[in-house]
Amino acid sequence: MAVNPFTVFVFYIFIFSAFLLTAYTFNFYYLAIRSIRRKDKYPVASLGTPTVTIQLPIYNERYVASRLVKSVCEMDYPKDKMKIMVLDDSDDDTVELVGDLVTEYQKKGFDIAHIRRGSRKGYKAGALKYAMKTTDTEFVAIFDADFIPPSWFLKKAIPYFAKSDIGLVQCRWGHVNENYSAMTQAQALSLDFHFLIEQKAKSGSHLYMNFNGTAGIWRTECIEDAGGWHTSTLVEDLDLSYRAQMNGWRCIFIPDIVVDAELPVQMNAAKRQQFRWAKGAIQCAVKLLGDILVKRKIPFETKIQAFVQLTRHFAYPLLLIQFLALPVLLASNMNLHVIKYVPALTIATYLALGPMAYLLVIYNLWGKDWKQKAKVLPFLLIYSAGMAVNNTVAVFDGIFGKKNEFLRTPKYGIVEKTDDWKDKAYNLPFTKTTLLELFFGVYGLLGIMIAIFSKNPVFAPIIAIPTIGFFYIAYLSLAHSQFKRIKSRPARSRTEKMADSYYKMALIGMFAIIVFGAYMAYKGYQTDVYPLDLSRGYLDRIAAGGSPETMLEYLNKIKTTMPDEGNPVWIFSTDTTDFGLIQKDIDYMIETVRGVQNEPPNSVAFTNAMMDIHTRAIQVRQNLMDATPYMYASFSNIVFSSIWIAAILGIFAVLKRKKDRLTAYDKSDDV
């Protein structure tokens, strides 16, 4: 039986991406097993009170800068052994706020400096590089603006530099606002997986672990030996830690030292953070992976794990490939079950590789508290799948794009569930990626319908998880862009109110067009594709045999169900997909069946006729299979899709323009 070449190509791409995703998944489980089995504790030594510089890189952090500086100055450490550098690149009122606070603590005897470079060259990495020029202490601790280091931090962390080859002590992140929303709970669980599995599994071993950019202490000699801070990537922390380990330094992770931090509460801020991490990792892969793979002194397993860590964000485009390919294969009646005709084993395999294995990991990591974390797992699966579009764009930007600005993640000082961020500055608007997320969401709805109508409902939940994720991410991206105005500001002008009204109308219009598009996709499937699916089912029954009366019933249903004429292949069409010729084949089969209705079943004429019907049914079924994919790409569908996308793009442009106008008003009010 001939198979459509396009379907074969899609099938091989699907299998290849599935193989790579499975490999990344198994590596995660390998690290989980390695982490759970590790019971070793790192030696500590009484180093006294060595000199340490605490560097605090900040940029426009009016809501958290004071909290950070105060918590650092409250550390239980001798003032004459502790230097504090506030690396302030801000261009808003954070400058005055921090300046006054630094002056206050200087009067109290603290060795604290408010460092202003005069530019943002190199962004965070540039600020850290600039600070190292005047750093003369033995150790350097780094905290981002959203962290709240405990007073005992230095006294507990510094003793882990017991051996001279330890260059970095990385501590675990806590989550001060973990239970603020489902989104923050998903982020917290994802970060916990990273620290308690990846970092713990690799810590202090021959495997390379990474500095997380904050809540860690460096040996100054290690930073200098590794070449200092580089500004060529968006993840200077990953870059430096890998270069240090390539030079023979060891990095260790201490899970018992937890430093609380604030998780992003706005979806657009979380997407920005994820984008930076994904793009930066790919940039590091381009920069470092070649040297890691060719160096003989680096163990083979280290090379494998470094490759996986630096390229793991490729899992997101692989997920999208699977997501796009699966409905196409289902529509083409391609068998995708693990064992043919055993759908239960297929869904069991997906569950075993995904949620079930994650639950087992959670149980081993959290023990008695595992149920609380397990409840968050569905949110994490939806959140992670929904981020696939955002992070796929970041991956390709990391490969082909230019080095762009280090875009910070806004913080709002959110601690309690009752805290509100919507009245505050730094709110981010949605980006063009939101449009792609909506597209993939609508495509997913179509894919779910294909899975159901093609009699493959086992694949519907597999398509549904990322579909829900895309709509969830897109919805919050749009919803979190509509924030209330700061209460202290004067009443809005008539022009501003009109801008706000246009914004809301455009938003409603976009959703209306999306719903209309989804409805038209459903109707198109119902009128164009579903009849072919039904006809193929009838032909399967005819090919399986039966009485002439039953065959006639099925053939008449096919004749009335299928189009009378036309060819869905509108470029380089062939006779095999011509509905007029297929209808003639059906007519011939009807006449053949009628001709032998009165013949004895054991006669030669009856047997030959049934064999001919069987052969023709299989051939016509194959012709319909070849035609089905082209029904999706019919000329009318392409025209409608183009108009639909153009309408969304037009409304999206209006929405963005009005949003920018509102933002401009906000900025003018700040002046």
Side-chain angles (χ1 to χ4, degrees):
M1 183 184 294
V3 181
N4 189 302
F6 173 74
T7 304
V8 174
F9 172 75
V10 173
F11 176 74
Y12 283 126
I13 292 294
F14 179 85
I15 295 299
F16 178 71
S17 61
F19 173 78
L20 292 180
L21 281 173
T22 303
Y24 279 111
T25 302
F26 277 131
N27 185 76
F28 173 80
Y29 296 143
Y30 163 72
L31 292 178
I33 294 171
R34 182 183 173 94
S35 171
I36 292 168
R37 288 181 176 177
R38 289 193 69 173
K39 306 297 182 183
D40 52 326
K41 292 190 176 182
Y42 302 104
V44 295
S46 178
L47 303 178
T49 53
T51 56
V52 57
T53 296
I54 303 176
Q55 296 176 349
L56 312 175
I58 64 174
Y59 173 69
N60 291 356
E61 304 287 2
R62 68 171 68 162
Y63 302 114
V64 295
S66 297
R67 183 180 68 185
L68 172 65
V69 174
K70 289 177 181 178
S71 61
V72 168
C73 290
E74 290 173 0
M75 281 193 179
D76 182 16
Y77 208 77
K79 290 181 181 179
D80 60 331
K81 298 296 180 99
M82 179 177 69
K83 294 185 178 181
I84 303 171
M85 292 182 175
V86 184
L87 313 178
D88 186 7
D89 287 347
S90 302
D91 52 22
D92 68 353
D93 58 0
T94 305
V95 179
E96 291 75 22
L97 187 152
V98 171
D100 293 341
L101 195 60
V102 167
T103 300
E104 178 184 337
Y105 278 106
Q106 284 174 341
K107 293 177 180 178
K108 294 179 180 179
F110 285 89
D111 187 356
I112 182 172
H114 185 202
I115 298 176
R116 299 275 296 160
R117 294 188 293 156
S119 74
R120 288 195 70 206
K121 182 179 180 181
Y123 308 107
K124 179 183 176 181
L128 294 170
K129 184 177 182 180
Y130 182 85
M132 289 303 297
K133 295 178 182 179
T134 55
T135 298
D136 56 2
T137 54
E138 189 175 350
F139 297 102
V140 176
I142 300 173
F143 296 102
D144 282 346
D146 50 332
F147 279 70
I148 314 171
S151 59
W152 43 259
F153 177 81
L154 292 178
K155 285 191 173 181
K156 282 194 175 182
I158 288 179
Y160 283 97
F161 286 94
K163 295 184 178 180
S164 60
D165 65 340
I166 295 178
L168 166 69
V169 171
Q170 173 67 58
C171 300
R172 182 179 164 190
W173 292 7
H175 318 294
V176 71
N177 60 334
E178 176 177 356
N179 295 318
Y180 186 79
S181 65
M183 187 181 85
T184 55
Q185 289 178 327
Q187 292 177 81
L189 183 57
S190 177
L191 287 169
D192 288 342
F193 276 146
H194 167 67
F195 281 104
L196 296 178
I197 293 178
E198 294 181 77
Q199 295 291 65
K200 185 180 176 183
K202 299 175 181 179
S203 172
S205 70
H206 61 287
L207 304 181
Y208 291 172
M209 62 166 276
N210 64 288
F211 174 46
N212 294 104
T214 177
I217 304 177
W218 283 93
R219 193 186 295 270
T220 305
E221 180 187 354
C222 175
I223 296 177
E224 295 170 347
D225 180 68
W229 296 101
H230 290 184
T231 62
S232 56
T233 73
L234 293 179
V235 284
E236 70 294 324
D237 41 16
L238 176 63
D239 182 14
L240 177 60
S241 52
Y242 262 57
R243 284 186 282 114
Q245 289 167 109
M246 290 169 69
N247 279 8
W249 291 94
R250 293 171 60 214
C251 301
I252 63 174
F253 165 66
I254 311 300
D256 297 332
I257 300 181
V258 181
V259 182
D260 283 334
E262 179 182 330
L263 294 163
V265 294
Q266 191 210 24
M267 177 56 74
N268 299 308
K271 289 168 70 174
R272 173 182 282 189
Q273 185 181 67
Q274 290 285 325
F275 185 96
R276 187 175 69 246
W277 288 348
K279 178 175 179 177
I282 298 302
Q283 289 175 325
C284 278
V286 173
K287 177 181 178 181
L288 302 174
L289 204 50
D291 291 338
I292 293 173
L293 295 178
V294 300
K295 278 194 175 183
R296 292 185 178 181
K297 67 176 183 178
I298 299 177
F300 180 73
E301 186 183 6
T302 305
K303 295 179 180 182
I304 294 297
Q305 290 300 326
F307 177 86
V308 171
Q309 180 171 20
L310 295 178
T311 64
R312 64 182 175 179
H313 288 94
F314 276 115
Y316 291 105
L318 291 173
L319 175 63
L320 289 189
I321 289 173
Q322 291 244 294
F323 183 78
L324 291 171
L326 186 53
V328 175
L329 296 175
L330 294 177
S332 302
N333 273 10
M334 181 72 73
N335 176 62
L336 298 175
H337 296 303
V338 176
I339 295 180
K340 196 172 184 180
Y341 306 126
V342 188
L345 186 58
T346 300
I347 194 66
T349 302
Y350 274 91
L351 289 173
L353 288 176
M356 298 302 295
Y358 272 94
L359 285 175
L360 185 62
V361 171
I362 290 173
Y363 177 79
N364 282 276
L365 286 178
W366 278 278
K368 295 180 180 179
D369 298 327
W370 76 275
K371 291 183 179 179
Q372 183 178 356
K373 293 293 182 181
K375 292 177 182 178
V376 183
L377 183 59
F379 293 113
L380 177 60
L381 294 176
I382 291 171
Y383 176 81
S384 298
M387 279 288 179
V389 175
N390 180 76
N391 291 353
T392 296
V393 174
V395 166
F396 285 106
D397 198 26
I399 299 173
F400 304 108
K402 61 182 180 180
K403 179 179 176 289
N404 57 323
E405 181 182 0
F406 183 102
L407 299 174
R408 57 179 277 279
T409 306
K411 299 99 182 178
Y412 305 102
I414 301 298
V415 176
E416 304 294 336
K417 291 191 72 171
T418 55
D419 292 341
D420 189 15
W421 55 270
K422 295 179 181 178
D423 285 339
K424 297 184 178 181
Y426 307 144
N427 287 288
L428 299 176
F430 60 87
T431 64
K432 296 176 182 177
T433 307
T434 304
L435 181 63
L436 286 174
E437 290 157 354
L438 291 171
F439 164 78
F440 277 96
V442 173
Y443 182 87
L445 292 177
L446 182 62
I448 293 171
M449 289 190 292
I450 291 174
I452 295 172
F453 288 119
S454 65
K455 300 179 181 179
N456 288 288
V458 69
F459 291 101
I462 296 171
I463 301 173
I465 290 176
T467 300
I468 295 171
F470 296 138
F471 279 125
Y472 172 72
I473 298 294
Y475 167 73
L476 286 187
S477 298
L478 293 168
H480 285 183
S481 295
Q482 291 195 87
F483 48 87
K484 297 178 288 185
R485 295 184 55 80
I486 294 178
K487 297 174 183 177
S488 60
R489 290 180 179 168
R492 296 179 296 173
S493 65
R494 180 174 178 273
T495 304
E496 188 178 2
K497 289 180 180 178
M498 289 180 62
D500 194 16
S501 298
Y502 284 137
Y503 175 84
K504 293 177 180 178
M505 290 172 59
L507 189 60
I508 293 171
M510 179 183 289
F511 275 114
I513 289 179
I514 290 170
V515 171
F516 177 72
Y519 171 76
M520 292 300 294
Y522 169 77
K523 293 297 292 183
Y525 180 85
Q526 188 180 48
T527 57
D528 296 337
V529 181
Y530 185 54
L532 300 190
D533 290 340
L534 283 175
S535 298
R536 289 203 305 267
Y538 294 142
L539 288 165
D540 281 337
R541 296 171 188 173
I542 292 171
S547 66
E549 292 75 14
T550 303
M551 289 186 178
L552 275 177
E553 180 184 353
Y554 289 148
L555 288 168
N556 285 319
K557 286 182 178 179
I558 294 171
K559 188 163 182 62
T560 57
T561 300
M562 273 181 35
D564 293 329
E565 58 183 9
N567 197 321
V569 183
W570 48 286
I571 298 179
F572 307 120
S573 58
T574 62
D575 290 345
T576 58
T577 53
D578 188 306
F579 289 128
L581 296 177
I582 293 175
Q583 285 282 13
K584 290 182 179 180
D585 288 334
I586 299 299
D587 290 336
Y588 178 84
M589 294 168 69
I590 290 174
E591 291 301 320
T592 301
V593 173
R594 286 174 176 170
V596 296
Q597 267 186 305
N598 298 321
E599 295 287 336
N602 57 351
S603 67
V604 174
F606 185 90
T607 302
N608 290 338
M610 289 299 102
M611 290 178 61
D612 183 49
I613 292 294
H614 173 82
T615 302
R616 287 180 180 274
I618 293 175
Q619 183 57 55
V620 172
R621 181 186 182 281
Q622 182 60 46
N623 292 345
L624 293 181
M625 285 184 64
D626 292 340
T628 299
Y630 295 99
M631 296 297 287
Y632 293 101
S634 66
F635 182 78
S636 59
N637 284 348
I638 291 175
V639 171
F640 173 77
S641 298
S642 300
I643 295 173
W644 182 72
I645 292 173
I648 292 182
L649 286 172
I651 292 183
F652 187 88
V654 172
L655 199 60
K656 189 72 168 62
R657 186 166 61 250
K658 299 305 177 184
K659 178 66 187 172
D660 291 341
R661 185 175 297 180
L662 286 174
T663 304
Y665 278 116
D666 287 337
K667 289 182 178 179
S668 65
D669 286 342
D670 283 335
V671 177

